[in-house]
């Protein structure tokens, strides 16, 4: 399926000078006037302080602020410090996102913190899983989602 719209941007990791990408795609939903926005993030990892990391997620928030339909935000967030997770928690709260949880959680952890995440809004988690693999430093996260009807105004 081709997206209705798509945009991407890169944030440059200050210490290593490598680009970290964000891709945002919008899809039509069959039988629904709303659209689904899917965001895939590879977050800045190595920087002095949280400024560049925070700006990357502020930019994502700015793009998503006008979207009122279902939303998926996922990827390698590099949330290995509590301060990084607080930034993600703030964005999730502002956008009305809920984290996908896993009965068996094989997501990689750094300093005890999961670094990969999936957050959703306007969708129901039907199944979710992670896999324990040795072929990557990231474990696949799988989720099956269903749409929820829009809330009718009184």
């Amino acid at each position: 399926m081709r997206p209705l719209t798509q945009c991407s941007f890169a944030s440059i990791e200050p210490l290593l000078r490598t680009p970290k990408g964000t891709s945002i795609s919008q899809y039509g939903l069959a039988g629904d006037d709303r659209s689904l926005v899917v965001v895939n993030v590879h977050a800045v990892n190595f920087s002095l302080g949280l400024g560049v990391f925070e700006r990357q997620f502020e930019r994502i928030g700015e793009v998503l602020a006008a979207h009122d339909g279902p939303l998926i935000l996922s990827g390698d967030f590099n949330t290995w410090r509590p301060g990084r997770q607080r930034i993600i928690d703030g964005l999730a709260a502002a956008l009305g996102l809920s984290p996908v949880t896993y009965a068996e959680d094989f997501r990689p952890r750094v300093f005890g913190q999961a670094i990969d995440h999936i957050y959703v809004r306007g969708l129901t988690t039907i199944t979710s899983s992670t896999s324990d693999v040795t072929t990557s430093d990231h474990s696949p996260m799988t989720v099956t989602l269903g749409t929820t009807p829009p809330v009718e105004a009184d």
Side-chain angles (χ1 to χ4, degrees):
M1 171 184 286
R2 301 196 68 155
L4 300 172
T5 59
Q6 185 174 20
C7 72
S8 60
F9 54 88
S11 299
I12 303 300
E13 201 161 275
L15 299 179
L16 301 178
R17 307 301 302 159
T18 56
K20 299 297 182 180
T22 299
S23 174
I24 303 174
S25 302
Q26 181 181 25
Y27 297 92
L29 296 170
D32 197 324
D33 292 343
R34 301 173 301 161
S35 62
L36 167 68
V37 170
V38 179
V39 183
N40 190 318
V41 179
H42 189 185
V44 168
N45 195 13
F46 301 109
S47 62
L48 299 173
L50 294 173
V52 175
F53 180 87
E54 188 168 27
R55 280 190 295 281
Q56 182 179 13
F57 284 95
E58 283 174 351
R59 192 169 180 194
I60 292 167
E62 289 167 4
V63 172
L64 300 178
H67 180 69
D68 62 356
L71 178 58
I72 302 170
L73 174 66
S74 68
D76 175 0
F77 291 12
N78 283 312
T79 47
W80 47 267
R81 286 179 37 198
R84 288 170 167 257
Q85 187 61 54
R86 278 192 295 276
I87 290 167
I88 302 306
D89 292 344
L91 177 64
L95 295 173
L97 296 164
S98 299
V100 171
T101 59
Y102 308 95
E104 281 193 279
D105 193 346
F106 294 107
R107 292 177 298 164
R109 295 181 181 279
V110 177
F111 303 125
Q113 304 289 320
I115 60 172
D116 299 333
H117 304 276
I118 300 174
Y119 290 86
V120 297
R121 177 182 77 197
L123 301 163
T124 302
T125 301
I126 298 168
T127 63
S128 62
S129 64
T130 59
S131 301
D132 189 15
V133 298
T134 58
T135 54
S136 172
D137 60 339
H138 296 274
S139 298
M141 299 179 294
T142 304
V143 63
T144 302
L145 301 166
T147 58
T148 54
V151 175
E152 297 293 325
D154 290 333

